[in-house]
Amino acid sequence: MVKKPSPFRKSFSPIRRLLRRNLSGRHYRHPTTATTAKTTTSSPPAENLQGQTVIVDVEAWLLRSRLSTFAYFMLVAVEAGGFLRGLLLLLSYPFMCLLSGDMRLRAMVMVTFFGLREKEVARVGKAVLPKLFLEEMAMEGLDAVKDARRVVAVCTLFPRVMAEGFLKEYLRVDTVVGKEVMAVAGRYVGFIVDEALTLQTDGAPVGEEMKEMMNKGKHEEAFGLVGTGSRMNHLFSYYCKETYAVSEADKKSWQPLPRDKYPKPLVFHDGRLAFTPTFPAAIAMYTYLPFGIVLAIFRSLAYSLLPYCVSIPLGALTGMRSRVIAGPPIDATEKSKAGGRLYVCNHRTLLDPITVAACLNKPVTAVTYSVSPVSELIAPIRTARLTRDRDEDRRRMAALLARGDLVVCPEGTTCREPYLLRFSPLFTELTAEVTPVALETNVDMFYGTSTKPASKVLDPLYFMMNPRPDYRVEFLDPVRTATSTNSQEDHNKSQTIEAANRVQRVLGEALAFELTEQTRKDKYMMLAGNEGVVEGKVKK
């Protein structure tokens, strides 16, 4: 049976043809029968766009300044292709600058994308690039589209795969239009395919308003936001009832988007680079990298083989700082007949328990859920792997606590941003009192955390590679966690949850972090598409 052509597909034909011509640099002449839309070189009143359909030029309206595309492509090259791919892009970029704008972009796409897996680039677009996009976003641009009923985002510089994750996850745009990169057998070839520049709707209808707007030149229902002098200006004017154009001079007064104004909190993000990799910054990183590797190995050996009274001063001489804001309790170093003390920390890096042990100047045991066996092997303190079976984990932790001090991180995973994830209440069942330890880290070049299983073994090394890594430690007053043994089981469960929340609030107030209900599973499902479980044998 012959399949009838879809009228919905036909309704997109005009916009497809126009986008192919405009995004590929071709010229389009308006039909003489089309109605001339109004173009205004000013910011639109908020009430004009409320509840309307808006077509927005991403680079012109949402980003505060036209930051060189090099930084975005460098992030993709390093995070999806590795440091050698990033070095290739860095070395070839001066020659690319000799090319025209369109040819330069095609060359950057070829060097960055060639051979990369589609899934990995999409992961970088969703897990790594949103942080940079949010930092470059203009508050005025967000205000213009946040109350729109429907938003179509048009990327004139970035391939669609680089911006789509950010635009749909954080701005909730309905449709993303941009350049497509050719892929074969799940890997990118590196060529921009003009004929593939189409609307991406994930098979979902975009609404009758969009159909009417795009069919036969009817454009009475949409508003356009474009940059002055953009080659997309005439396209927006043709398909929009009214078009607002902004100039670079006007954008100089635009304000960066504060963190508390983000359309969605940036709780999780991935990637190794902790700075914006502009061309000069990338040169500095690659110049420092060989020295950083040697420095990281030296620091790791010092902390693993030497006593803390020697390794901490050596680390300070190399630029590694550990600041104790409030010291441990007076009796923390005393041996207790009743067992050890339970230290509850927020989780910043894999070095958290080691830092606590160094501040205490005594051995402790750290419990882990899903840490690389190699990391457990080289750890200078005793580690114990948990099983995710509540009763078994409780028994093991109680046995460890009876033998000495125990360090736990109830969040279950690290969090880079000023947020605390939900605390698992298991630790509240072990003892009547816990000692919260507030930890804060600062890095200037590399993040010491990752969600990629193959890279987790290198997490401590990357933290040590930073020129001046900083740890801030604050031992807080003990918090009571005792529960009534005479209560019913359901009541006991609610009490343990309340005790865990109380410890979380204490740490949140000390660090000025925001409390969340996010969990380890939420983090890994968002950033890596898995639950973050690393297989390995239990260390006895």
Side-chain angles (χ1 to χ4, degrees):
M1 182 175 64
V2 179
K3 184 178 180 181
K4 295 181 179 180
S6 171
F8 178 70
R9 181 180 181 87
K10 288 182 178 180
S11 67
F12 282 95
S13 297
I15 192 72
R16 283 177 174 173
R17 290 194 295 269
L18 286 174
L19 287 171
R20 283 199 293 265
R21 289 166 178 158
N22 282 275
L23 291 177
S24 61
R26 303 175 189 174
H27 180 70
Y28 178 81
R29 179 177 296 172
H30 289 283
T32 57
T33 58
T35 303
T36 302
K38 178 182 178 182
T39 300
T40 305
T41 56
S42 63
S43 298
E47 60 272 11
N48 282 21
L49 302 183
Q50 187 173 3
Q52 301 294 331
T53 297
V54 175
I55 305 179
V56 58
D57 184 334
V58 173
E59 291 83 359
W61 268 87
L62 297 182
L63 302 184
R64 183 166 50 95
S65 61
R66 283 190 174 270
L67 178 69
S68 171
T69 54
F70 175 85
Y72 299 89
F73 281 96
M74 176 59 75
L75 277 177
V76 175
V78 172
E79 305 298 349
F83 282 92
L84 289 180
R85 175 68 63 101
L87 180 61
L88 177 61
L89 177 61
L90 179 67
L91 295 178
S92 58
Y93 184 69
F95 301 98
M96 295 179 187
C97 292
L98 302 177
L99 304 174
S100 63
D102 187 64
M103 290 301 297
R104 182 191 312 148
L105 180 63
R106 291 175 180 269
M108 291 183 69
V109 170
M110 172 61 72
V111 174
T112 302
F113 280 76
F114 180 78
L116 297 183
R117 295 171 59 242
E118 287 184 277
K119 291 183 178 180
E120 185 60 21
V121 175
R123 187 193 72 85
V124 172
K126 184 178 180 180
V128 180
L129 290 176
K131 181 176 184 292
L132 181 55
F133 278 121
L134 286 171
E135 290 174 349
E136 292 298 321
M137 179 174 285
M139 186 163 56
E140 290 79 359
L142 177 62
D143 290 340
V145 300
K146 66 179 182 180
D147 294 327
R149 181 182 179 185
R150 235 170 252 285
V151 179
V152 177
V154 179
C155 298
T156 58
L157 295 179
F158 301 111
R160 178 185 57 82
V161 68
M162 290 177 61
E164 185 175 34
F166 160 71
L167 293 171
K168 289 193 172 182
E169 183 73 23
Y170 287 87
L171 298 188
R172 303 298 183 187
V173 304
D174 299 278
T175 305
V176 179
V177 182
K179 301 176 186 294
E180 296 290 342
V181 184
M182 179 186 294
V184 176
R187 290 186 178 272
Y188 285 108
V189 179
F191 295 108
I192 294 178
V193 186
D194 296 334
E195 296 303 317
L197 296 172
T198 58
L199 284 165
Q200 301 295 321
T201 60
D202 298 331
V206 294
E208 293 299 323
E209 300 88 353
M210 293 293 295
K211 291 183 183 180
E212 294 175 2
M213 177 192 70
M214 295 176 182
N215 192 24
K216 297 181 181 180
K218 293 181 180 180
H219 49 275
E220 290 82 4
E221 301 296 332
F223 289 80
L225 304 178
V226 69
T228 301
S230 171
R231 64 189 183 193
M232 303 296 292
N233 201 327
H234 62 277
L235 171 65
F236 280 51
S237 299
Y238 182 76
Y239 271 99
C240 299
K241 173 184 178 181
E242 191 169 348
T243 300
Y244 295 90
V246 64
S247 66
E248 290 298 319
D250 295 331
K251 292 175 65 175
K252 289 182 179 180
S253 62
W254 283 16
Q255 299 299 314
L257 187 66
R259 175 181 288 273
D260 59 352
K261 299 294 185 181
Y262 282 180
K264 176 182 176 180
L266 182 68
V267 181
F268 304 125
H269 61 88
D270 206 4
R272 289 298 187 185
L273 302 186
F275 63 98
T276 301
T278 58
F279 184 67
I283 293 177
M285 179 194 70
Y286 278 100
T287 302
Y288 168 80
L289 195 58
F291 176 73
I293 294 175
V294 175
L295 186 61
I297 295 174
F298 174 78
R299 287 169 171 171
S300 300
L301 291 175
Y303 274 88
S304 300
L305 304 178
L306 300 177
Y308 295 127
C309 60
V310 178
S311 60
I312 292 179
L314 279 179
L317 288 176
T318 64
M320 190 170 182
R321 297 174 294 177
S322 297
R323 296 179 293 168
V324 181
I325 305 302
I330 298 177
D331 60 344
T333 57
E334 297 178 1
K335 181 67 176 179
S336 173
K337 295 181 180 180
R341 182 181 293 270
L342 182 60
Y343 295 94
V344 179
C345 314
N346 62 302
H347 205 3
R348 303 300 280 182
T349 75
L350 292 180
L351 301 179
D352 293 344
I354 301 174
T355 303
V356 173
C359 293
L360 293 172
N361 196 25
K362 62 182 295 189
V364 300
T365 301
V367 292
T368 65
Y369 274 111
S370 197
V371 177
S372 165
V374 178
S375 298
E376 291 183 308
L377 180 65
I378 64 177
I381 62 175
R382 179 181 174 85
T383 62
R385 182 182 289 269
L386 300 181
T387 63
R388 299 185 184 276
D389 179 271
R390 184 179 183 84
D391 293 335
E392 176 63 19
D393 290 345
R394 185 182 186 281
R395 184 190 65 78
R396 292 187 181 189
M397 293 172 66
L400 293 170
L401 187 60
R403 293 201 297 263
D405 291 346
L406 185 65
V407 179
V408 299
C409 300
E411 291 175 287
T413 187
T414 57
C415 184
R416 301 172 175 178
E417 297 300 317
Y419 296 94
L420 288 182
L421 308 186
R422 190 175 69 194
F423 277 24
S424 169
L426 182 59
F427 72 92
T428 64
E429 303 175 13
L430 303 176
T431 180
E433 183 181 86
V434 301
T435 301
V437 183
L439 301 175
E440 175 64 299
T441 59
N442 289 297
V443 295
D444 42 18
M445 192 168 287
F446 304 107
Y447 285 117
T449 59
S450 175
T451 60
K452 297 176 65 174
S455 301
K456 292 184 72 66
V457 65
L458 300 176
D459 284 353
L461 184 66
Y462 274 104
F463 182 83
M464 296 285 190
M465 282 172 59
N466 283 285
R468 297 182 66 83
D470 181 26
Y471 246 106
R472 175 184 175 274
V473 185
E474 182 178 1
F475 290 85
L476 305 177
D477 294 333
V479 176
R480 294 285 299 175
T481 59
T483 60
S484 173
T485 58
N486 296 325
S487 301
Q488 297 296 325
E489 182 177 351
D490 291 342
H491 185 51
N492 278 337
K493 183 177 180 180
S494 65
Q495 285 184 321
T496 59
I497 294 175
E498 174 57 33
N501 291 341
R502 185 163 58 251
V503 176
Q504 184 194 38
R505 286 194 297 270
V506 169
L507 286 171
E509 291 173 359
L511 293 165
F513 282 7
E514 184 176 339
L515 310 185
T516 74
E517 287 295 319
Q518 301 290 318
T519 64
R520 172 191 179 87
K521 183 177 180 180
D522 295 328
K523 170 186 172 179
Y524 277 86
M525 290 302 296
M526 176 181 176
L527 301 182
N530 58 63
E531 296 186 7
V533 178
V534 177
E535 298 295 336
K537 296 181 179 180
V538 176
K539 187 175 179 178
K540 300 293 185 181

